[in-house]
């Protein structure tokens, strides 16, 4: 017998279960029958409102909860599987109840006597329900009857006609478990709040039936409940480390011992530093890698020292530190850049804090003693003492030589990443060879007279080629080479330094003499080339040619840089850049006048005369508009207009209401007396004949018996015309004339009747 035999149902319940089965698909009924036959229904029990069952899935790996509630309209089913209602699990329970549950005549205690959600809403809105509202309330009733505070995500979204998610097992909380609904209206309000959070609109008919005040009340309760739950979760994660052991502090130092670099360690309450054990260092490395700071603690300097032993994967496999290793050099360079850390974490061979010397080491070459055949090359400190072999060379300007006795500046280290014992004994036959002498010259060592006499210097000629290109973004191409007559490409400028393109030319060398280029000219050239004021850009093509992007104001910047060229450098410019170098155009301003139709007045025009006779008027206008900036004029190249005009001439133009850059074809009419100052001074703005013409007219005015010069009332200066002040000036003058006319009228009216008016008559 199954669990269904202990659940009594009425004949009406059985009919409702049969209707529930018929509403399921044929395939679902077959699968449900299979589950029932295989006894996958593990339990069935009844509570106050519904039947609850536990059904094992087909794979026997997971069980599902099934809820069945008898309503006046039939059976409402729900399941925790992804399909929700009318699934094979619910069908299996219904099959067992139909086949095995005992039938009782007396009505069983009502499993759901209260009205449904649809009944309540229909009564509230006084309308019959259909369409989306009826479908939504049917699903909501099913969720309510199950008594769960959660609902399957896809089941919820399907009830609103929304797009479902791929996550079949996700659930939504209808209400907090600790905040159950008090009645059906609370349940609907909770659904309305959840729908609002998930952007799922409730059917309008249902929404109008729910009290907004109730929704607001429950929303506040939900927010308060969530805040309390969040704080409870936060407080549960708080950890008060009152009983755990304190992390062990480990301090590391780097000892530059005579036998090589060694890491020393001190931990806990230890007072002395001892050679570090690999177990301790591995523990420190593991804590750093995984962020576990509960067992060991390292300060910043110790972390840098620990990194010396870490391989490419971050682990430590050995305590041995190789001189000139990349990790050792990197650590020393980092500590050297922080002067307060270096003496604290690096010890010399005597066990005392390392000292950085201020005076550089000096290379010293000692000739072979009598009876010996070896030169001695040594490095000496400021006191003339030798130094131990280096453990690292720290890059920078200058280099720094790191050894057990200290850290010293050094001008060069020609042995790359190799340590050399000092002093070095070099056989005379090797050092006195051409290769040996060249090496000594490269190191700038003072040569013994016997070797110096074997060197013949030839000058290096530096040639820089510059070309302008506007293909794509405008840029300049630069190629700089230094060479001799026989080797034109001895050195090539790379953008930061000179690179030897070929070995020193031996042509002309004999067994005794060595021909070497004089490289003293390269340093000032490198300084000038490095100051080019443009940004270098990548370009694929000739590897010897550098490309520099140009900006808007580049012409003047280029000329300023070009002007700083050392005298010994030969520069070749292409046609465009040559026009820029030679493209300054001198312009001279002159005034031309001619007598107007009115007596004593002249028509004045301003002319610009340039020394470049190839320029058209249109091109001159472009130069004027540029106001002293460079302009590219097609095939003619670059031009810039420079005015050949003095400050005095600028003031003279301003007095006439004109400016040096403002030229117009419109003629200005000026009185002869206004041009008098220019004529008297014989200003260069007026040629001599025009000056004489103006002076004659002024003399004629002064000797002629005529009324005075026209009143200023009707005259507006050209400057005020250019500024647009003519209307305001005329208006003010008209007002003054009207006021004077009115005052004269008033005076005449107030004059006594017997008064006599005296009229003065002027005769010619």
């Amino acid at each position: 017998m199954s669990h269904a035999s202990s659940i009594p149902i009425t004949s009406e319940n059985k009919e409702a279960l049969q209707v529930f089965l018929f509403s399921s698909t044929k395939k679902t009924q077959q699968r449900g029958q299979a589950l029932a036959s295989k006894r996958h229904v593990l339990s069935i029990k009844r509570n106050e409102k519904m039947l609850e069952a536990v059904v094992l899935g087909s794979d026997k790996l997971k069980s599902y909860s099934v809820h069945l509630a008898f309503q006046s309209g039939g059976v409402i089913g729900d399941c925790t599987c992804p399909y929700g209602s009318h699934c094979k699990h619910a069908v299996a329970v219904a099959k067992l109840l139909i086949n095995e549950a005992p039938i009782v005549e007396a009505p069983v205690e009502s499993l759901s006597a209260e009205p449904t959600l649809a009944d309540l809403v229909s009564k509230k809105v006084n309308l019959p329900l259909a369409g989306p509202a009826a479908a939504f309330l049917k699903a909501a009733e099913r969720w309510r009857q199950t008594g769960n505070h959660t609902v399957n995500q896809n089941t919820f979204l399907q009830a609103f006609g929304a797009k479902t998610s791929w996550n079949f097992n996700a659930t939504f909380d209808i209400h907090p478990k600790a905040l159950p609904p008090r009645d059906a209206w609370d349940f609907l309000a909770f659904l309305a709040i959840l729908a609002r959070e998930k952007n799922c609109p409730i059917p309008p008919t249902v929404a109008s039936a729910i009290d907004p005040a109730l929704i607001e009340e429950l929303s506040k309760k939900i927010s308060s409940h969530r805040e309390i739950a969040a704080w409870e979760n936060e407080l549960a994660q708080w950890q008060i480390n009152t009983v755990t052991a304190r992390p062990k502090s480990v301090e590391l130092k780097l000892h530059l011992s005579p036998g090589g670099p060694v890491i020393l360690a001190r931990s806990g309450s230890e007072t002395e530093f001892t050679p570090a054990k690999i177990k301790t260092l591995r523990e420190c490395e593991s804590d750093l890698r995984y962020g576990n700071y509960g067992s060991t603690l390292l300060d910043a300097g110790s972390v840098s020292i620990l990194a010396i032993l870490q391989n490419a994967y971050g682990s430590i496999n050995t305590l041995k530190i190789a001189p000139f290793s990349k990790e050792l050099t990197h650590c020393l360079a980092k500590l050297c850049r922080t002067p307060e850390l270096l003496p604290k974490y690096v010890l010399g061979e005597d066990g005392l804090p390392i000292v950085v010397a201020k005076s550089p080491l000096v290379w010293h070459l000692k000739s072979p003693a009598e009876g010996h055949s070896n030169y001695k090359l040594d490095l000496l400190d400021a006191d003339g003492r030798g130094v131990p072999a280096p453990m690292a060379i720290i890059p920078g300007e200058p280099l720094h030589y790191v050894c057990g006795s200290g850290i010293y500046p050094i001008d060069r280290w020609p042995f790359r990443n190799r340590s050399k014992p000092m002093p070095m004994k070099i056989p005379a036959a090797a050092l006195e060879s051409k290769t040996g002498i060249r090496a000594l010259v490269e190191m700038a060592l003072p040569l013994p007279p016997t070797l110096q006499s074997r060197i013949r210097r030839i000058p290096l000629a530096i040639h820089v080629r510059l070309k302008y290109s506007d293909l794509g973004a405008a840029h300049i191409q630069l190629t700089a080479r230094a060479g001799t007559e026989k080797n034109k490409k001895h050195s090539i400028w790379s953008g930061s330094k000179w690179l030897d393109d070929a070995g020193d030319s031996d042509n002309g060398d004999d067994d005794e003499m060595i021909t070497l280029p004089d490289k003293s000219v390269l340093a000032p050239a490198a300084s000038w080339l490095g100051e080019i004021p443009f940004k270098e850009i990548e370009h694929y093509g000739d590897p010897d040619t550098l490309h520099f992007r140009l900006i808007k104001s580049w012409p003047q910047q280029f000329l300023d840089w070009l002007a700083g060229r050392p005298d010994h450098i030969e520069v070749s410019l292409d046609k465009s850049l040559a026009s820029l170098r030679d493209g300054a155009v001198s312009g001279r301003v002159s005034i031309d006048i001619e007598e107007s139709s009115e007596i004593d007045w002249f028509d004045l025009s301003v002319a610009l005369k340039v020394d470049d006779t190839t320029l058209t008027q249109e091109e001159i206008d472009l130069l004027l508009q540029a106001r002293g900036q460079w302009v590219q004029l097609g095939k003619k190249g670059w031009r810039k207009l420079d005015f050949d005009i003095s400050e005095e001439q600028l003031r003279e133009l301003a007095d006439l209401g004109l400016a040096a850059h403002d030229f117009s074809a419109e003629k200005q009419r000026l009185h002869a007396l206004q041009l008098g100052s220019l004529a008297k001074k014989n200003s260069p703005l007026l040629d001599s004949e025009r000056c004489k013409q103006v002076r004659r007219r002024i003399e004629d005015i002064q000797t002629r018996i005529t009324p005075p010069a026209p009143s200023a009332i009707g005259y507006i200066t050209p400057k005020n015309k250019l500024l647009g002040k003519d209307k305001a000036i005329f208006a003010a003058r008209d007002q003054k004339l009207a006021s004077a006319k009115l005052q004269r009228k008033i005076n005449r009216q107030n004059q006594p009747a017997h008064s006599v008016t005296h009229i003065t008559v002027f005769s010619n």
Side-chain angles (χ1 to χ4, degrees):
M1 298 294 291
S2 68
H3 301 285
S5 60
S6 61
I7 307 296
I9 60 174
T10 66
S11 57
E12 290 81 2
N13 296 151
K14 185 173 182 179
E15 291 178 3
L17 289 171
Q18 289 172 341
V19 172
F20 177 79
L21 289 178
F22 293 149
S23 64
S24 302
T25 64
K26 185 175 181 180
K27 191 171 185 179
T28 302
Q29 292 183 41
Q30 293 174 351
R31 292 180 176 179
Q33 179 63 51
L35 291 177
S37 302
K38 295 178 181 179
R39 300 298 178 182
H40 279 229
V41 180
L42 303 181
S43 67
I44 303 177
K45 62 181 180 178
R46 184 180 67 189
N47 60 19
E48 295 180 355
K49 294 185 177 182
M50 68 192 73
L51 296 171
E52 295 183 3
V54 178
V55 182
L56 189 64
S58 301
D59 54 6
K60 298 183 180 182
L61 297 177
K62 189 175 182 180
S63 59
Y64 302 92
S65 296
V66 177
H67 300 82
L68 297 176
F70 293 101
Q71 296 280 340
S72 57
V75 175
I76 296 178
D78 189 57
C79 181
T80 57
C81 74
Y83 293 95
S85 63
H86 289 84
C87 64
K88 62 183 180 181
H89 309 102
V91 169
V93 176
K95 283 276 189 183
L96 284 180
L97 290 172
I98 291 172
N99 296 332
E100 300 181 11
I103 305 298
V104 295
E105 296 299 332
V108 181
E109 181 183 355
S110 176
L111 298 180
S112 181
E114 61 180 326
T116 65
L117 296 176
D119 295 337
L120 293 173
V121 172
S122 178
K123 184 177 180 181
K124 180 78 176 285
V125 300
N126 196 23
L127 290 171
L129 301 178
F136 169 74
L137 290 174
K138 182 178 180 182
E141 184 66 35
R142 186 171 68 251
W143 302 334
R144 183 170 75 103
Q145 293 300 332
T146 61
N148 286 338
H149 72 285
T150 62
V151 61
N152 180 271
Q153 171 181 294
N154 282 344
T155 302
F156 181 82
L157 296 175
Q158 287 171 355
F160 292 91
K163 186 177 180 180
T164 58
S165 170
W166 60 270
N167 190 357
F168 294 103
N169 296 322
T171 59
F172 292 150
D173 284 342
I174 299 176
H175 58 81
K177 190 174 184 179
L179 193 64
R182 295 165 295 189
D183 53 25
W185 291 112
D186 274 10
F187 187 80
L188 282 175
F190 279 128
L191 284 178
I193 295 170
L194 177 60
R196 183 175 59 189
E197 293 178 352
K198 304 303 179 184
N199 295 321
C200 296
I202 287 183
T205 305
V206 180
S208 64
I210 305 173
D211 186 3
L214 179 60
I215 294 177
E216 184 66 23
E217 175 193 349
L218 295 180
S219 295
K220 292 180 179 179
K221 289 183 178 181
I222 291 175
S223 298
S224 176
H225 174 80
R226 288 174 178 173
E227 183 179 6
I228 293 171
W231 271 107
E232 288 178 350
N233 182 59
E234 173 69 22
L235 294 171
Q237 298 179 26
W238 285 14
Q239 296 182 0
I240 310 300
N241 297 325
T242 55
V243 295
T244 57
R246 292 184 177 180
K248 179 175 60 176
S249 176
V250 179
E251 187 177 359
L252 304 180
K253 288 184 183 289
L254 179 64
H255 182 206
L256 303 179
S257 67
V262 177
I263 293 180
L264 306 179
R266 181 178 67 181
S267 61
S269 59
E270 297 175 355
T271 58
E272 299 293 332
F273 282 89
T274 57
K277 297 180 180 179
I278 195 168
K279 179 181 178 181
T280 302
L281 298 180
R282 283 176 173 171
E283 184 180 356
C284 294
E285 179 273 326
S286 177
D287 290 344
L288 281 175
R289 180 188 300 184
Y290 299 107
N292 178 21
Y293 305 110
S295 57
T296 60
L297 286 177
L298 290 178
D299 54 24
S302 299
V303 170
S304 296
I305 293 174
L306 182 68
I308 298 175
L309 295 176
Q310 291 179 277
N311 59 23
Y313 302 99
S315 57
I316 297 176
N317 298 324
T318 180
L319 292 175
K320 186 177 181 181
I321 303 175
F324 279 80
S325 69
K326 181 176 65 175
E327 294 76 16
L328 174 63
T329 302
H330 180 72
C331 172
L332 290 169
K334 186 186 297 185
L335 294 176
C336 278
R337 294 189 185 99
T338 313
E340 61 271 16
L341 294 181
L342 183 66
K344 181 179 179 181
Y345 292 99
V346 182
L347 307 177
E349 60 186 7
D350 54 3
L352 299 177
I354 199 72
V355 176
V356 179
K358 294 184 179 180
S359 300
L361 296 177
V362 178
W363 290 98
H364 179 261
L365 180 65
K366 186 177 181 180
S367 300
E370 187 177 352
H372 294 79
S373 59
N374 292 333
Y375 283 86
K376 286 186 178 181
L377 182 61
D378 202 358
L379 276 171
L380 305 179
D381 61 14
D383 298 327
R385 294 173 301 188
V387 293
M391 300 181 190
I393 299 294
I394 300 176
E397 184 62 38
L399 303 173
H400 278 82
Y401 181 101
V402 181
C403 62
S405 62
I407 300 178
Y408 304 89
I410 186 174
D411 60 346
R412 64 185 64 200
W413 181 257
F415 312 109
R416 298 185 180 179
N417 295 328
R418 292 179 296 161
S419 181
K420 289 290 183 179
M422 297 294 167
M424 292 184 290
K425 296 181 179 180
I426 307 174
L431 197 60
E432 293 174 359
S433 67
K434 296 179 181 178
T435 303
I437 294 177
R438 288 196 184 95
L440 295 177
V441 171
E442 288 294 329
M443 292 182 64
L445 288 176
L447 299 181
T450 55
L451 299 182
Q452 185 66 48
S453 61
R454 294 177 52 193
I455 297 175
R456 178 172 53 243
R457 298 282 186 177
I458 57 175
L460 275 178
I462 300 177
H463 181 260
V464 177
R465 181 171 57 86
L466 294 162
K467 181 181 179 182
Y468 172 80
S469 174
D470 56 2
L471 294 177
H475 62 279
I476 281 181
Q477 301 174 11
L478 181 149
T479 306
R481 294 190 176 99
T484 63
E485 291 184 1
K486 296 181 179 179
N487 183 8
K488 299 296 184 182
K489 292 176 60 177
H490 177 276
S491 298
I492 297 175
W493 178 247
S494 68
S496 59
K497 60 182 179 180
W498 290 100
L499 300 177
D500 289 344
D501 186 65
D504 297 334
S505 175
D506 284 342
N507 294 336
D509 285 358
D510 51 31
D511 293 339
E512 295 296 329
M513 297 302 296
I514 301 172
T515 302
L516 295 175
D518 183 4
K519 295 185 178 182
S520 61
V521 297
L522 296 181
S527 177
W528 174 66
L529 290 170
E531 293 175 354
I532 188 169
F534 310 119
K535 183 178 180 180
E536 185 178 355
I537 57 176
E538 292 186 4
H539 194 276
Y540 301 98
D542 184 2
D544 298 344
T545 301
L546 306 177
H547 296 254
F548 297 90
R549 189 186 304 277
L550 300 178
I551 59 177
K552 186 175 181 180
S553 58
W554 75 268
Q556 192 57 50
Q557 293 183 0
F558 173 78
L559 292 177
D560 294 342
W561 171 74
L562 190 64
R565 172 186 62 87
D567 294 337
H568 65 276
I569 299 178
E570 179 185 354
V571 175
S572 297
L573 303 178
D574 68 349
K575 184 178 180 181
S576 178
L577 295 180
S579 70
L580 184 66
R581 179 192 58 194
D582 307 325
V585 177
S586 177
R588 186 172 61 85
V589 179
S590 64
I591 295 177
D592 190 20
I593 60 174
E594 59 183 16
E595 294 185 10
S596 70
S597 57
E598 299 180 29
I599 190 172
D600 301 335
W601 290 84
F602 290 89
D603 287 336
L604 177 146
S605 60
V606 182
L608 174 66
K609 297 180 179 179
V610 298
D611 59 359
D612 189 346
T613 58
T614 65
L615 296 178
T616 65
Q617 185 59 47
E618 182 181 1
E619 292 169 339
I620 294 175
D621 291 341
L622 289 175
L623 295 178
L624 284 171
Q625 294 173 13
R627 292 185 173 272
Q629 300 298 319
W630 288 93
V631 179
Q632 191 173 17
L633 302 177
K635 295 182 179 181
K636 293 182 181 179
W638 296 87
R639 296 290 189 276
K640 182 183 74 166
L641 182 60
D642 292 332
F643 281 105
D644 183 12
I645 188 170
S646 65
E647 293 294 330
E648 178 64 24
Q649 292 171 341
L650 288 174
R651 285 193 294 270
E652 292 173 353
L653 286 174
D655 291 340
L656 297 176
L658 303 172
H661 286 86
D662 296 328
F663 299 99
S664 173
E666 181 181 355
K667 295 183 178 181
Q668 305 289 336
R669 181 159 294 183
L670 276 74
H671 194 269
L673 296 178
Q674 292 177 274
L675 298 172
S677 60
L678 296 180
K680 290 178 181 179
K681 294 187 295 184
N682 287 322
S683 171
L685 295 175
L686 280 174
D687 60 33
S688 59
E689 290 300 323
R690 296 304 184 188
C691 287
K692 293 177 181 178
Q693 184 181 3
V694 172
R695 287 198 295 267
R696 286 195 300 268
R697 180 54 57 89
I698 293 175
E699 291 172 358
D700 183 50
I701 292 172
Q702 293 173 347
T703 58
R704 189 191 318 148
I705 305 176
T706 59
S711 171
I713 291 177
Y715 173 69
I716 301 293
T717 66
K719 181 176 182 180
N720 285 332
K721 283 186 178 180
L722 291 174
L723 296 176
K725 296 181 179 180
D726 49 344
K727 293 184 180 180
I729 293 174
F730 276 127
R733 291 173 180 175
D734 290 344
Q735 184 178 2
K736 289 181 181 179
L737 289 172
S739 177
K741 184 176 181 181
L742 178 61
Q743 186 62 45
R744 289 196 298 273
K745 182 177 180 181
I746 294 172
N747 292 340
R748 286 195 299 271
Q749 291 175 352
N750 295 333
Q751 202 174 34
H754 61 275
S755 63
V756 179
T757 303
H758 297 278
I759 302 175
T760 302
V761 179
F762 295 91
S763 58
N764 292 331

